[in-house]
Amino acid sequence: MERKASRRENEYEEKTSNSESSELDKDYKTTLITLNVGGYLYITQKQTLTKYPDSFLEGIINGRIMCPFDADGHYFIDRDGLLFRHILNFLRNGELLLPEGFRENQLLAQEAEFFQLKVLSEAVKSRWEKEQLGSRETTFLEITDSHDRSQGLRIFCNAPEFIAKIKSRIVLVSKSRLDGFPEEFSVSSNIIQFKYFIKSENGTRLVLKEDNTFVCTLETLKFEAIMTALKCGFRLLTSLDCSRGSIVHSDALHFIK
């Protein structure tokens, strides 16, 4: 009798355990939501979509807003499927995080308004305004002779962060060329000043010594500037002084994105 009772107790415990496990699995599955946004499928948790009360997504999940279903039974939202990943990332992270070079601020702002996410809409608009302001501010980098400012190169660009990047790149190249002679150039603000800028029969060159050992030409620096700009997605708008013909002979370069 004791064995039978024990067996029944074990069977009951197993059934109870299986029932609880089944209920947990069921509850877990109901927290996962699949959305079809413009043909792109996104799977996320219910609490993510309901993070902001009174938003469009929260209304759908809680039944306040009617939403059609696709053929597979997923919620279907007729919006930009690619941009929705930024909406979803905002819901997950609680802040606006966009990839470098993102240029669809206006479209994203419209999507944020559609999904009734006021905080995101304001963040996108603020980012957009800063970019618009930055695009109107042209910054420059001047590479010049510390004794004769007419000898050198000026680089203009409407992106301050690019000027900072290209400045660090040119300094890095210059240091490698001027190894052992760090006192031969100085950097301050947006100006890099070299010493020993001289005119020779071959054109303007930067040399370490009067005997021309260890030569670094201005043309090298210009090519470094151009290649860095192209790698960063900028284009050479124009040479501001085309009177000399070739780009490498110009006194200024103007980049824009």
Side-chain angles (χ1 to χ4, degrees), residues 56-256:
F56 181 83
L57 293 169
E58 183 272 335
I60 288 177
I61 301 303
N62 290 330
R64 292 189 299 100
I65 298 175
M66 297 298 295
C67 180
F69 295 91
D70 65 11
D72 296 317
H74 307 311
Y75 289 106
F76 177 75
I77 304 174
D78 191 15
R79 301 300 295 184
D80 192 317
L82 284 174
L83 283 179
F84 186 74
R85 75 185 184 99
H86 303 304
I87 302 289
L88 194 54
N89 281 333
F90 174 78
L91 294 175
R92 289 166 174 162
N93 302 315
E95 61 178 322
L96 179 62
L97 300 171
L98 296 173
E100 185 178 352
F102 183 80
R103 288 291 179 270
E104 297 182 299
N105 294 298
Q106 189 172 4
L107 288 174
L108 184 56
Q110 290 178 347
E111 295 301 296
E113 289 179 4
F114 173 83
F115 286 104
Q116 300 170 20
L117 293 167
K118 186 177 179 181
V119 178
L120 174 59
S121 179
E122 291 175 350
V124 175
K125 289 178 180 178
S126 176
R127 181 182 187 276
W128 188 16
E129 289 172 358
K130 287 180 181 179
E131 285 188 355
Q132 292 293 314
L133 180 62
S135 67
R136 292 193 294 268
E137 297 177 352
T138 300
T139 55
F140 73 95
L141 174 64
E142 183 175 342
I143 306 167
T144 185
D145 185 328
S146 58
H147 302 293
D148 183 0
R149 292 174 66 88
S150 65
Q151 301 298 320
L153 170 68
R154 292 172 182 81
I155 301 172
F156 296 84
C157 184
N158 63 345
E161 66 275 10
F162 169 72
I163 290 296
K165 182 171 184 176
I166 204 167
K167 181 168 86 170
S168 63
R169 173 62 178 156
I170 289 177
V171 168
L172 179 64
V173 172
S174 301
K175 281 185 176 180
S176 66
R177 301 280 180 144
L178 304 175
D179 188 27
F181 297 86
E183 70 280 4
E184 298 298 331
F185 73 99
S186 61
V187 182
S188 63
S189 185
N190 281 24
I191 298 177
I192 301 177
Q193 291 185 331
F194 287 99
K195 295 181 180 180
Y196 300 115
F197 253 10
I198 63 168
K199 279 259 184 159
S200 67
E201 294 180 359
N202 297 325
T204 304
R205 302 196 299 177
L206 168 67
V207 296
L208 285 179
K209 299 179 180 179
E210 292 182 1
D211 60 3
N212 288 356
T213 56
F214 218 140
V215 176
C216 177
T217 66
L218 260 183
E219 284 73 14
T220 301
L221 299 181
K222 291 176 186 178
F223 277 123
E224 284 291 335
I226 293 171
M227 292 305 297
T228 302
L230 295 178
K231 288 179 181 178
C232 292
F234 290 86
R235 60 190 176 91
L236 181 61
L237 181 65
T238 181
S239 162
L240 299 186
D241 180 8
C242 298
S243 60
R244 302 188 183 187
S246 172
I247 290 176
V248 295
H249 293 123
S250 64
D251 291 331
L253 302 173
H254 190 181
F255 299 104
I256 194 170

